[in-house]
Amino acid sequence: MSFEDDGSQKPSIQALKTKPLERSFALARLGAGAGAKIVAHSIANIFRGEIDRDQANREFYRRQAQVLADELGKLKGSVMKAGQMLSLYGQYFLPEEAVTVLSSLQDDTPPVDWRIVAPVLQRALGRHRLRELEIDEQPMAAASLGQVHRAYRRKDGLALCIKIQYPGVADAIESDIRTLSRLLIMTRLTPKGLDLTPVFNEVREMLHREVDYESERHFTETFAERLKDDPRFVVPRVLGEYCSDQVLTTTFEHGHSVRQETVQTLPQARRNRLGHAFLELFLTEFFRWGMVQSDPHFGNYRIRVDEQGEDDRIVLLDFGATRIFGRGFVESYGDIVRGALSRDRDLILRGAKAIGLMQESFPRSVLDAFAQMCELIVEPFNAANDPRTPESLRNAKGEYRWGDSDLPMRVGRVAALNALSIHFRVPPREIVFLHRRLAGVFIMLATLRCELSARDTLLCALEESARSSAE
């Protein structure tokens, strides 16, 4: 959950359905309504032509997904977070219309009334500790599993962020996952015959991690320690005396959203430095540490603009989605990247097969198409004189113009034209989260309208990774 305050005041939820039975009943009622709509839609399709039927199906998927998203938003907790995760996994098996609607769960979340979360804070910290704080009852950010309140420590005025977990969300995870999996089948949003057990197993594991505030505290402190000597980054300090298994308190770290005018109007050189720092951080996390903060939501990153000069800094927030990647996975993924940079398709496929992205049984055309897609994805890291990079995406110095690039759409076309989705249904879970962050890196650099060549940065990260593996 990000600590971004967008200034909006959404109506707060006055009551939470926290008991498994009442949550299951709410979802079951939704499923029953969906069943009746499916019957009506199927009958109407009999009388439609092929084109009208396709349009009707698209609209049907959109409506079904919208109803599902609306209900999940009201329930909060793990079932809503699971819906968010489905929008991430769903790009591989859900209708495009459903993915678009479910993605809205990422950002449009009403807060919960203070009287619901206040008892959680009181039980966690006790009255003595609470008297040390002055807390704003209006949350500055709200998400599916908890919300953040601004606070001040009375003795010295230290500004704080207090993240409070919604009551009952941890206990409802197992029931929510079972109910949601049945609901997806009832709404007919998933293809027939597709086994979603691995997807829901991963969602379940992810949910248990995200309600583990002690783990999030550990990762926050770990990132702070590893980046303490890097002046480009700011990580909030954890105040352990105001933490528990349901409460996480850190210092409040000010900054601007990357989309705000203050950041967007910075000189090109300063935006380039910010973009380079953001990219280098991701490469360091993955190739050196094997520890990646995998949620690329813009609210998790703030820009602290240096009013006196050029020492702008990136404030890093929310480490609840941090994932650990095994050395073997990192090495094999590195083979894919090295192969893509050098146009060595055997190396690309060796790495892809090692981590389960490709299989020996796939047709040669599919393997070649996958290798072609990988070679296209590394376009921003091509040499400055590489003729495969469109001239319009290079400035006079040969630097890549991230803000003008249509690379994601071109990659999508390659995948669609070669029917990769037929063989590439639901990828290994590590890939889903890694590519989630990787996409976030591209979007960040595009939003900053960076113009920079990152080839040497990537090659350096790959070399360091190889040295680490050899030691």
Side-chain angles (χ1 to χ4, degrees):
M1 176 175 55
S2 69
F3 292 175
E4 182 173 12
D5 182 5
D6 61 8
S8 61
Q9 297 291 326
K10 301 183 181 73
S12 62
I13 295 175
Q14 299 298 311
L16 281 179
K17 296 182 176 71
T18 58
K19 297 179 180 178
L21 182 60
E22 61 181 348
R23 292 169 71 82
S24 296
F25 179 75
L27 288 171
R29 184 175 55 193
L30 172 60
K37 293 174 184 175
I38 289 168
V39 172
H41 175 72
S42 300
I43 293 174
N45 262 352
I46 297 174
F47 302 100
R48 295 187 178 111
E50 186 173 346
I51 295 177
D52 289 341
R53 187 179 300 125
D54 179 66
Q55 292 175 340
N57 282 338
R58 288 179 176 274
E59 179 59 22
F60 172 74
Y61 288 137
R62 189 199 63 76
R63 288 197 307 268
Q64 289 289 81
Q66 187 63 63
V67 171
L68 179 61
D70 290 344
E71 290 301 315
L72 296 186
K74 294 175 185 176
L75 285 173
K76 287 280 194 179
S78 58
V79 72
M80 181 183 172
K81 190 69 178 183
Q84 293 178 1
M85 295 308 303
L86 284 174
S87 73
L88 178 63
Y89 275 106
Q91 61 184 305
Y92 300 102
F93 57 82
L94 288 179
E96 180 182 352
E97 294 76 16
V99 175
T100 299
V101 172
L102 287 174
S103 295
S104 69
L105 286 169
Q106 303 286 348
D107 341 276
D108 190 16
T109 302
V112 167
D113 192 84
W114 172 250
R115 62 185 176 80
I116 295 176
V117 296
V120 176
L121 191 60
Q122 292 168 358
R123 287 193 298 270
L125 303 186
R127 293 183 178 180
H128 174 71
R129 284 294 186 195
L130 280 181
R131 281 197 293 268
E132 299 176 5
L133 306 175
E134 181 179 338
I135 304 173
D136 185 351
E137 296 182 2
Q138 178 66 38
M140 60 183 295
S144 53
L145 301 176
Q147 61 192 39
V148 176
H149 289 258
R150 183 81 174 266
Y152 295 91
R153 190 163 61 182
R154 296 181 188 277
K155 69 177 183 181
D156 57 7
L158 181 65
L160 305 173
C161 286
I162 303 180
K163 183 176 179 179
I164 309 171
Q165 190 174 118
Y166 294 135
V169 296
D171 297 332
I173 289 176
E174 295 301 324
S175 174
D176 282 351
I177 290 294
R178 287 194 300 269
T179 304
L180 185 57
S181 62
R182 291 195 297 267
L183 187 58
L184 271 181
I185 296 173
M186 295 175 71
T187 53
R188 291 196 183 175
L189 287 175
T190 56
K192 290 182 180 179
L194 178 63
D195 182 13
L196 290 181
T197 302
V199 172
F200 279 105
N201 285 342
E202 169 61 16
V203 172
R204 177 184 292 107
E205 182 181 328
M206 179 276 301
L207 288 170
H208 281 295
R209 282 199 304 270
E210 291 219 10
V211 297
D212 185 352
Y213 280 14
E214 293 178 355
S215 175
E216 183 175 348
R217 171 183 174 177
H218 163 73
F219 283 123
T220 304
E221 293 173 332
T222 300
F223 270 80
E225 176 64 24
R226 295 192 179 191
L227 293 172
K228 66 180 181 181
D229 296 323
D230 193 330
R232 298 174 298 174
F233 303 102
V234 177
V235 179
R237 176 166 59 91
V238 174
L239 284 86
E241 63 269 32
Y242 304 119
C243 295
S244 76
D245 59 347
Q246 291 182 299
V247 175
L248 178 63
T249 300
T250 67
T251 53
F252 171 80
E253 303 295 343
H254 68 87
H256 299 279
S257 166
V258 69
R259 294 190 178 99
Q260 288 181 337
E261 184 179 3
T262 304
V263 177
Q264 289 292 305
T265 55
L266 288 173
Q268 184 70 55
R270 291 172 69 173
R271 285 184 281 114
N272 286 347
R273 279 193 288 274
L274 286 168
H276 184 269
F278 194 80
L279 173 62
E280 187 177 335
L281 175 64
F282 166 69
L283 296 175
T284 297
E285 288 178 31
F286 181 64
F287 286 112
R288 287 182 55 195
W289 301 346
M291 181 181 69
V292 177
Q293 196 286 76
S294 64
D295 185 356
H297 189 283
F298 269 20
N300 292 337
Y301 307 97
R302 309 288 279 170
I303 306 300
R304 184 173 295 176
V305 175
D306 180 12
E307 303 295 344
Q308 304 302 319
E310 301 179 348
D311 296 326
D312 309 308
R313 308 179 76 185
I314 301 175
V315 180
L316 307 176
L317 303 170
D318 193 345
F319 298 89
T322 302
R323 296 187 63 88
I324 300 296
F325 292 86
R327 199 68 231 166
F329 179 90
V330 174
E331 291 174 9
S332 295
Y333 196 89
D335 285 341
I336 297 175
V337 177
R338 292 184 189 92
L341 289 171
S342 62
R343 269 53 183 182
D344 183 342
R345 294 197 169 182
D346 289 338
L347 185 56
I348 292 174
L349 294 175
R350 186 176 77 191
K353 291 172 184 176
I355 59 179
L357 269 174
M358 292 283 110
Q359 298 177 19
E360 290 285 354
S361 59
F362 286 177
R364 187 68 211 183
S365 61
V366 172
L367 298 176
D368 286 342
F370 175 79
Q372 177 191 355
M373 186 173 68
C374 292
E375 292 168 0
L376 182 58
I377 288 173
V378 298
E379 176 183 276
F381 305 97
N382 287 341
N385 60 351
D386 194 316
R388 286 166 291 201
T389 301
E391 289 186 14
S392 61
L393 297 181
R394 296 284 191 194
N395 64 15
K397 298 179 182 179
E399 298 165 325
Y400 195 76
R401 298 164 60 94
W402 295 76
D404 294 334
S405 180
D406 62 345
L407 181 60
M409 287 181 287
R410 284 184 280 132
V411 170
R413 284 198 295 269
V414 170
L417 287 172
N418 292 281
L420 285 178
S421 60
I422 296 175
H423 301 273
F424 191 53
R425 298 300 289 272
V426 180
R429 62 186 185 178
E430 293 90 350
I431 287 294
V432 172
F433 287 93
L434 180 63
H435 285 185
R436 180 191 190 193
R437 172 67 184 283
L438 187 57
V441 172
F442 191 100
I443 294 170
M444 177 66 78
L445 269 63
T447 303
L448 287 168
R449 305 188 314 284
C450 292
E451 296 182 9
L452 57 90
S453 176
R455 182 179 181 84
D456 290 344
T457 304
L458 176 56
L459 291 175
C460 181
L462 290 169
E463 289 174 6
E464 288 192 25
S465 177
R467 283 198 299 269
S468 298
S469 299
E471 293 175 354

